[in-house]
Amino acid sequence: MKNLLFILTLCLCVSCNDQKTALARQEQLNPSIPRGLIAEKAMVVSARVEASEIGIEIMKQGGNAFDAMVATHLALAVAYPVAGNIGGGGFMVYRMEDGRIGGIDFRETAPLAATKNMYLDAQGNVIKDLSTLGAMSVGVPGSIAGLFKIHEKFGTLPMSTLIQPAIDIATTGIIITKNQAKGLNEKQEDFRKANKGAIYFNKEWKAGDILKQPALAKTLARIRDKGKDGFYKGKTAEIMVNYLNNLRGIITLKDLEMYEAKWRDPITFTYHGNKIISMSPPSSGGICLAQILKSVEPYHPEQYAHNSEKYVQLIVEAERRAYADRAYYLGDPDFVKIPAEELMSPQYLDHRMADFNWDKATPSTSVGHGKIPGYESEETTHYSIVDPFGNAVSVTTTLNGGYGSKVYVEEAGFFLNNEMDDFSAKPGEPNMFGLIGAEANAIAPGKRMLSSMTPTIVEQNNALKMVVGTPGGSTIITSVAQNILNVLAFDMGMQESVNQPRFHHQWLPDEIKFEPSFNKEIFDPLKKLGYTINQSNSLIIGKVDAILVLSNGKLEAGADPRGDDAAAGY
Ligand code: DON
């Protein structure tokens, strides 16, 4: 009965969503500019329509953005298992209606038995796949601890109310989309390898299939009934640890018991007077974003045509230098000292950009990390929420690769992350995103691996302006930077901004990646200046889900058409 009521509510929401979409169309001033869903009061933009609708439903029941976050996160764990998770981790940045800001880190940690060279063979070479596929690649999950910590501080509805919708859709099933069927079919072999045999997800998938997850529903019910301990202790923990042990994993019950999410002060900086609030270490997102935007600020990028040769060149040179610093300086702040203020100071960044030359690409081989005096290092998902009270949350969460380590704790119904690959297994050795790291991001027991996740909020004239973030591994930071510039420097609407073709440079490899739809006319001129172009055919850079506060106070969604992403609002 409860399920039936829920599905009915969902259907009602979908039809009211249609009305909102119609309203959005009417409000289009210029029909050639794509507009996202427009809402008066509240909005959720996420990778799945079910999750966005569930978040909105919670706010209609009186819940705030934090309540909606918990419900949306768990709905994604059911409806978007490629990245939505209870077996992974993430980061959240928030801005309250009164301007107070904060952040939480529910990033995975290295197990206590982890060692610096655990992914190297006797010759000191990286062992293929060990940090990406199977039990050894799993970090101690943080999501459930994060959700409970957030709820404890800001939640207004009972946790059981926020968990129930996810239990309901896990029980009644979700409809597999074309994209999901394709992704699942591609992973069949990896699922078998990681689990040493077939799992529940091993079958030929097609769009329209119904995925029911009874084991996950039971795990979620244990979390509903026992709180955080329903995951980190007792039955779920035992099932998880036994399963991992059988696969020669090293996570223990003690690792789970000891896991703690942490409040972190966000990174803040201004870009032409707008305040940007983003995630601090152990994510590199906020610092790197600040370095890129502060490096280009004095050049007034809006004087160049959007995505033109000059615009791309300027951003790329700032990105190159920021990622070189990332590789050297950044890691878990509880283990390494990070010179954050220095790295973001205008003097330091001016100095870093001093050898930028409009006539010639700066080769990455000639760009090391900057000198700070006195200093001795494929599938994620982002959702943005604004509530009717004016609170905003920006959340990026991940299993790292698609379906993480591919280890599926069958009896408890969830996938585990392969976040250990975000550590630097060996100095100078690229990880799955081609990112290089150093001592600051070396493996140590209990340490958090460096992330690129960049959940971000923008404030203009002391008021909320934009909530933004994306998946995309190393490309996350550059995608967020480009969307901030699209809106602040080029005055684009939210959907218009999200739809723009994107590009990316990360220092090493020394190449610019372009999405296939990018204007190819600028490639030859860039090549003449010494830039290497990589435009692999199927390349997608990020899936940005964002919300913009329009000048009339209404909210505009930007749901990325590169995925099945969808907005819901009222
Ligand atoms: O934390 C990080 O930076 C990575 N684990 C994110 C992985 C990711 O975005 C994959 N998505 N496409």
Side-chain angles (χ1 to χ4, degrees):
M1 183 61 194
K2 211 192 283 166
N3 293 344
L4 223 122
L5 266 177
F6 182 73
I7 291 169
L8 218 77
T9 322
L10 267 191
C11 294
L12 280 173
C13 284
V14 172
S15 76
C16 76
N17 209 16
D18 285 343
Q19 285 168 19
K20 294 291 174 200
T21 315
L23 180 70
R25 273 191 223 108
Q26 284 160 23
E27 290 196 6
Q28 268 180 232
L29 298 174
N30 177 350
S32 68
I33 297 176
R35 274 284 188 187
L37 177 70
I38 307 278
E40 307 268 339
K41 290 185 171 162
M43 184 87 85
V44 181
V45 192
S46 82
R48 282 288 299 213
V49 67
E50 295 86 342
S52 299
E53 296 288 6
I54 283 171
I56 281 296
E57 193 45 42
I58 291 296
M59 292 194 274
K60 283 189 177 163
Q61 287 175 32
N64 63 18
F66 302 96
D67 294 314
M69 183 234 163
V70 174
T72 305
H73 191 104
L74 294 173
L76 284 168
V78 177
Y80 195 62
V82 66
N85 67 81
I86 60 173
F91 298 98
M92 185 256 268
V93 165
Y94 66 83
R95 180 186 184 278
M96 312 281 288
E97 159 279 328
D98 61 6
R100 273 178 297 156
I101 60 169
I104 191 164
D105 154 7
F106 49 99
R107 181 69 161 167
E108 299 90 330
T109 54
L112 293 170
T115 57
K116 186 172 174 181
N117 296 330
M118 63 191 273
Y119 298 119
L120 306 185
D121 64 17
Q123 284 70 47
N125 298 318
V126 173
I127 303 168
K128 193 174 168 317
D129 291 346
L130 197 60
S131 68
T132 54
L133 187 70
M136 279 297 281
S137 66
V138 182
V140 184
S143 286
I144 293 298
L147 298 186
F148 276 90
K149 206 165 182 117
I150 291 161
H151 184 258
E152 199 184 323
K153 189 161 177 184
F154 296 116
T156 61
L157 297 183
M159 202 62 175
S160 55
T161 307
L162 309 179
I163 299 179
Q164 194 59 42
I167 298 177
D168 293 342
I169 57 170
T171 308
T172 53
I174 57 129
I175 300 170
I176 293 291
T177 66
K178 196 171 151 211
N179 283 334
Q180 279 183 311
K182 184 168 173 283
L184 280 165
N185 289 336
E186 283 166 5
K187 295 286 188 294
Q188 294 295 306
E189 200 39 49
D190 280 351
F191 290 154
R192 280 198 192 86
K193 262 197 219 159
N195 295 279
K196 301 204 164 63
I199 58 165
Y200 189 67
F201 283 79
N202 274 118
K203 66 165 239 183
E204 182 70 24
W205 293 89
K206 52 182 193 326
D209 282 350
I210 307 285
L211 168 65
K212 293 185 184 180
Q213 299 173 82
L216 180 55
K218 279 193 191 148
T219 298
L220 290 169
R222 280 195 292 276
I223 297 169
R224 175 197 60 199
D225 300 339
K226 297 194 160 49
K228 191 180 143 209
D229 288 353
F231 184 83
Y232 290 97
K233 288 180 183 167
K235 189 162 180 183
T236 313
E238 278 157 24
I239 294 173
M240 199 180 342
V241 167
N242 284 340
Y243 190 71
L244 283 171
N245 280 351
N246 285 338
L247 295 171
R248 295 171 173 249
I250 56 172
I251 292 184
T252 60
L253 287 172
K254 185 158 182 218
D255 280 312
L256 292 173
E257 213 180 299
M258 280 181 57
Y259 183 85
E260 234 190 294
K262 295 189 174 180
W263 295 108
R264 305 259 186 212
D265 288 336
I267 294 289
T268 58
F269 61 97
T270 59
Y271 178 82
H272 287 307
N274 302 281
K275 181 173 173 187
I276 318 275
I277 306 149
S278 191
M279 196 61 216
S280 50
S283 179
S284 61
I287 292 181
C288 248
L289 181 69
Q291 287 196 306
I292 295 168
L293 293 179
K294 294 302 278 182
S295 295
V296 303
E297 186 181 38
Y299 293 83
H300 291 274
E302 62 279 11
Q303 67 175 301
Y304 308 108
H306 184 255
N307 279 355
S308 62
E309 175 197 342
K310 281 229 168 332
Y311 179 74
V312 169
Q313 199 185 352
L314 174 64
I315 309 290
V316 159
E317 292 300 342
E319 289 173 352
R320 184 197 307 282
R321 288 159 177 81
Y323 277 79
D325 278 351
R326 176 195 192 279
Y328 186 75
Y329 287 111
L330 305 187
D332 182 344
D334 296 341
F335 284 71
V336 289
K337 191 176 170 308
I338 298 174
E341 290 310 316
E342 293 89 333
L343 287 170
M344 295 185 292
S345 83
Q347 296 78 355
Y348 171 78
L349 294 168
D350 276 356
H351 180 71
R352 286 291 272 162
M353 289 295 275
D355 61 347
F356 162 44
N357 178 353
W358 283 110
D359 299 328
K360 194 172 174 301
T362 315
S364 285
T365 45
S366 73
V367 177
H369 55 85
K371 299 272 178 292
I372 302 286
Y375 180 81
E376 290 320 293
S377 148
E378 224 180 313
E379 197 69 45
T380 296
T381 192
H382 176 85
Y383 52 97
S384 295
I385 303 178
V386 174
D387 73 14
F389 314 107
N391 304 307
V393 306
S394 185
V395 188
T396 314
T397 181
T398 192
L399 291 165
N400 196 23
Y403 302 95
S405 59
K406 318 311 186 264
V407 172
Y408 179 68
V409 187
E410 184 107 6
E411 203 186 334
F414 60 90
F415 284 99
L416 283 164
N417 68 83
N418 59 346
E419 221 73 61
M420 289 296 284
D421 188 62
D422 276 347
F423 278 117
S424 169
K426 183 181 172 182
E429 197 75 30
N431 73 356
M432 65 189 257
F433 299 108
L435 290 167
I436 309 281
E439 195 52 38
N441 190 31
I443 305 172
K447 187 176 174 184
R448 284 153 149 91
M449 53 298 276
L450 183 63
S451 172
S452 300
M453 289 189 271
T454 315
T456 299
I457 294 175
V458 179
E459 193 178 297
Q460 192 169 64
N461 301 327
N462 300 317
L464 178 68
K465 171 83 175 167
M466 181 181 178
V467 187
V468 60
T470 181
S474 55
T475 68
I476 290 175
I477 305 164
T478 51
S479 299
V480 169
Q482 285 166 62
N483 275 277
I484 291 176
L485 289 172
N486 290 347
V487 169
L488 296 183
F490 293 92
D491 219 11
M492 289 186 196
M494 200 66 263
Q495 192 64 53
E496 185 187 7
S497 165
V498 167
N499 290 6
Q500 298 303 311
R502 297 193 270 265
F503 60 97
H504 170 75
H505 193 292
Q506 61 179 47
W507 177 50
L508 294 172
D510 190 352
E511 60 180 27
I512 315 176
K513 285 190 192 345
F514 286 98
E515 287 190 315
S517 58
F518 212 96
N519 168 22
K520 294 173 186 59
E521 280 169 18
I522 68 165
F523 291 178
D524 276 337
L526 283 172
K527 281 184 199 159
K528 284 203 182 95
L529 295 171
Y531 292 94
T532 303
I533 311 281
N534 173 355
Q535 204 204 17
S536 327
N537 269 337
S538 60
L539 194 77
I540 277 180
I541 300 182
K543 282 183 204 157
V544 177
D545 283 341
I547 302 171
L548 181 66
V549 182
L550 302 174
S551 51
N552 59 9
K554 292 183 186 177
L555 307 169
E556 187 200 341
D560 206 319
R562 292 162 181 84
D564 299 324
D565 305 47
Y570 68 98

